[in-house]
């Protein structure tokens, strides 16, 4: 009986270990599939009608090759007149523009061309195995008639392998094998600046004025507090003085009465 129980325990433990290994492997595979792809991430807010700063995040998926080129294409149905890349050490960047069939209206001016693609090419640097690189962009003016922008990307490795991240994810459906980066847009704000714009000079002046007002108010409040504290101190001193006088008088009276009793 004891042998049978021991055998059953060992069998159970072996199967449990095998199941755990399979589960762990599945988690790793699924996590790699879900997260190891090119994505676009806003820094702050990406509001409709405003401007935003975003990072194109490019992970290296290969163990035996490095990424040497990244191309990001912008949608033609919602064109962007302004796409400015931030320099990345070790990478050359090229901005390609295209003529618009329908001109854009921006700040009272007509824009006849928009950015079609931005290309980063390794120039002394690479994205090696187990690494990722971020490529910052300033975008604007963001469209007001859509909730998202699909930015199709192409990733090239130094072994000439090309991965096309161009499949548009569908809401409610499983994630495609090579999903395109998607920038989700938030509701429009009143100032139309979004997360990528600096405050206006008037705002700075207003803020400076508020600061000065706050400082003056703090000084005034401090003066009131000091005056109140001084008044309280004077009042306490006066009360203690009166109490001291009363105690002194009581002592004198007690001494006089004691003297009279002795004489009697």
């Amino acid at each position: 009986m004891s042998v049978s129980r021991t055998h059953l325990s060992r069998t159970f433990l072996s199967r449990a270990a095998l199941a755990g290994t399979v589960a762990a492997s599945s988690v790793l595979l699924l996590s790699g599939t879900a997260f190891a792809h090119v994505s676009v991430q806003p820094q702050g807010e990406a509001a409709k009608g405003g401007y935003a700063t975003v990072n194109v995040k490019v992970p290296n998926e290969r163990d035996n090759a490095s990424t040497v080129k990244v191309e990001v294409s912008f949608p033609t149905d919602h064109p962007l007149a302004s796409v400015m890349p931030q320099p990345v050490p070790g990478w050359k960047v090229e901005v390609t523009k295209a003529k618009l069939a329908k001109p854009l209206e921006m700040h009272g001016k007509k824009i006849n061309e928009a950015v079609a693609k931005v290309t980063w090419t390794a120039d002394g640097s690479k994205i090696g195995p187990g690494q990722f690189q971020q490529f910052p962009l300033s975008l604007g003016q963001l469209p007001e008639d859509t909730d998202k922008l699909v930015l199709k990307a192409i990733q090239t490795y130094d072994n000439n392998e090309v991965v096309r991240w161009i499949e548009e994810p569908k809401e409610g459906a499983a994630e495609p094998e090579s999903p395109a980066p998607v920038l989700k847009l938030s509701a429009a704000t009143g100032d139309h600046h979004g997360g990528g714009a600096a405050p206006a000079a008037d705002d700075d002046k207003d803020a400076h004025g508020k600061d000065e007002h706050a400082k003056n108010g703090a000084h005034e409040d401090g003066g009131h507090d000091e005056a109140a504290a001084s008044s309280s101190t004077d009042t306490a001193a006066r009360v203690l003085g009166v109490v001291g006088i009363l105690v002194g008088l009581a002592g004198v009276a007690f001494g006089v009465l004691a003297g009279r009793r002795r004489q009697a």
Side-chain angles (χ1 to χ4, degrees):
M1 181 66 69
S2 61
V3 175
S4 178
R5 288 180 179 176
T6 302
H7 177 71
L8 289 174
S9 297
R10 290 178 178 175
T11 302
F12 174 76
L13 291 174
S14 299
R15 291 180 178 178
L18 178 61
T21 302
V22 172
S25 300
S26 299
V27 169
L28 290 174
L29 288 173
L30 290 175
S31 63
T33 302
F35 298 106
H37 54 72
V38 177
S39 60
V40 58
Q41 302 170 343
Q43 302 303 298
E45 187 178 27
K48 299 177 182 179
Y51 295 80
T53 299
V54 303
N55 278 333
V56 178
K57 185 177 180 180
V58 183
N60 192 87
E61 290 190 309
R62 302 294 179 259
D63 296 329
N64 57 354
S66 298
T67 298
V68 293
K69 188 177 181 180
V70 178
E71 302 168 74
V72 175
S73 297
F74 293 84
T76 56
D77 55 343
H78 296 101
L80 299 176
S82 175
V83 177
M84 294 187 296
Q86 179 177 326
V88 177
W91 294 81
K92 292 189 301 183
V93 61
E94 180 183 0
V95 178
T96 304
K97 294 186 176 182
K99 292 286 185 179
L100 295 175
K102 182 180 179 181
L104 290 175
E105 189 79 20
M106 181 178 289
H107 304 302
K109 297 180 180 180
K110 286 188 177 181
I111 308 297
N112 295 314
E113 61 180 12
V115 174
K117 183 172 65 174
V118 177
T119 304
W120 292 271
T121 305
D123 184 25
S125 181
K126 296 181 180 181
I127 308 175
Q131 299 177 348
F132 75 93
Q133 177 67 53
Q134 295 190 117
F135 300 95
L137 291 171
S138 175
L139 308 179
Q141 184 172 2
L142 298 174
E144 300 184 41
D145 56 350
T146 183
D147 295 326
K148 62 182 180 180
L149 290 177
V150 179
L151 311 179
K152 298 181 179 181
I154 298 177
Q155 182 177 10
T156 303
Y157 290 87
D158 56 7
N159 61 357
N160 295 325
E161 179 186 4
V162 176
V163 180
R164 300 179 182 276
W165 305 99
I166 60 174
E167 299 179 58
E168 183 174 350
K170 302 296 183 181
E171 188 174 354
E175 186 180 62
E177 183 177 353
S178 300
V182 176
L183 176 63
K184 294 184 178 180
L185 305 181
S186 59
T189 58
D191 58 7
H192 275 196
H193 289 319
D202 292 340
D203 295 339
D204 290 339
K205 292 179 181 178
D206 292 342
H208 180 69
K210 291 179 181 177
D211 290 341
E212 289 298 324
H213 178 72
K215 290 179 182 178
N216 293 335
H219 288 314
E220 291 175 1
D221 292 342
H224 292 315
D225 291 342
E226 290 176 1
S230 177
S231 178
S232 299
T233 302
D234 292 343
T235 302
R238 289 173 184 175
V239 171
L240 289 175
V242 173
V243 171
I245 292 172
L246 292 176
V247 171
L249 291 175
V252 171
F254 179 77
V256 171
L257 290 176
R260 287 180 179 179
R261 289 177 182 176
R262 288 175 184 172
Q263 292 176 358

